[in-house]
Amino acid sequence: MRTLIVTAVLALSTGSVMAQEAVLLHAAGSLRGALTEVSSAFEAAGGPKVTQVYRPSGLIREAIAGGERAEVFASANMTHPQALATAGKAGPVVLFARNALCAFVRPGLEVTPATLLDRMLDPAIKLGTSTPRADPAGDYAYQVFARAEAVRAGARAALEAKALQLTGGPTSAPVPAGRNAYGHVIAEGKADLFLAYCTNAGPIAREQPGIRMVPLPETLAVGADYGITVIASASPAAYRLALFVLSPPGQQILAKHGFVAPGLPKE
């Protein structure tokens, strides 16, 4: 974080911010609710307008590496922004939020943390995940499968073989605008149980109140570190936005949306 702050100070001291110049934010879909509110707070505090693009983090990384214009990249992992930094296309990567994986289950399906692995392995249960490599949520789900192997021999191969990669990929079926992707595919009957970020609990409960969230047992639990970076040649305003995300007001909004916010002062 210290390196990003120094870089930001240098950028702000050597450039001017045009009042009407919008900052281009690319962010993971799981951040849509939180960063939409953060962007509004940034604008209300005197920052320029923020143009927001939300897609799976892996697809954003590929797009930026291929030349798509971007200024701030907020990823659902550290790997994708670090790949851009290593390639000289972005600045330092800073951890700005944490998440975790939970299971979301259709109405009528009885699941507890203690029975979750049995349900996931049940051939009759449709197990949904996001798409690995394109979407970190899919990578984290496959980490759950790897942890399951330590609990039950053969579980990893069985889970990987049956998992339905329903969201987050370049060819995934579109989701109606404004709808939560995971709640939608469960409601459509495409999955009985879906491994997704715990921060989806609020949106899913509002849209599909019959769908329940089940925490993963400690033996299967997987956390998610979120990284933010500023793309090379970005405007000084982009650094202002990145610092605002890391500031107490930005961190408070992330916490409000269910993320663990490492930048909040300890009480």
Side-chain angles (χ1 to χ4, degrees), residues 3 12 24 48 50 56 60 66 68 95-96 165 182 191 231 240-241:
T3 306
L12 291 171
L24 186 53
V50 181
I60 293 175
E68 182 171 315
L95 172 69
F96 73 99
Q165 298 175 13
Y182 313 113
I231 306 303
R240 291 178 62 194
L241 175 60

Side-chain angles (χ1 to χ4, degrees), residues 209-226:
I211 295 175
R212 293 187 305 111
M213 184 186 80
V214 178
L216 272 62
E218 184 176 350
T219 52
L220 301 179
V222 170
D225 291 339
Y226 282 49

Side-chain angles (χ1 to χ4, degrees), residues 25 135 255:
L25 169 67
D135 185 348

Side-chain angles (χ1 to χ4, degrees), residues 158-256:
L159 293 169
E160 289 182 356
K162 69 171 295 189
L164 303 171
Q165 298 175 13
L166 299 173
T167 61
T171 61
S172 297
V175 175
R179 302 296 296 274
N180 181 275
Y182 313 113
H184 175 71
V185 297
I186 295 173
E188 291 286 298
K190 296 177 181 177
D192 301 307
L193 187 156
F194 204 111
L195 295 179
Y197 298 122
C198 300
T199 50
N200 288 286
I204 289 177
R206 290 190 291 271
E207 296 174 16
Q208 306 289 346
I211 295 175
R212 293 187 305 111
M213 184 186 80
V214 178
L216 272 62
E218 184 176 350
T219 52
L220 301 179
V222 170
D225 291 339
Y226 282 49
I228 190 168
T229 187
V230 178
I231 306 303
S233 302
S235 67
Y239 289 92
R240 291 178 62 194
L241 175 60
L243 289 176
F244 189 85
V245 172
L246 296 168
S247 71
Q251 293 284 287
Q252 287 166 359
I253 293 171
L254 284 161
K256 170 185 169 183

Side-chain angles (χ1 to χ4, degrees), residues 135-150:
D135 185 348
D139 297 313
Y140 295 130
Y142 276 63
Q143 289 179 26
V144 173
F145 300 163
R147 291 180 64 85
E149 184 68 21

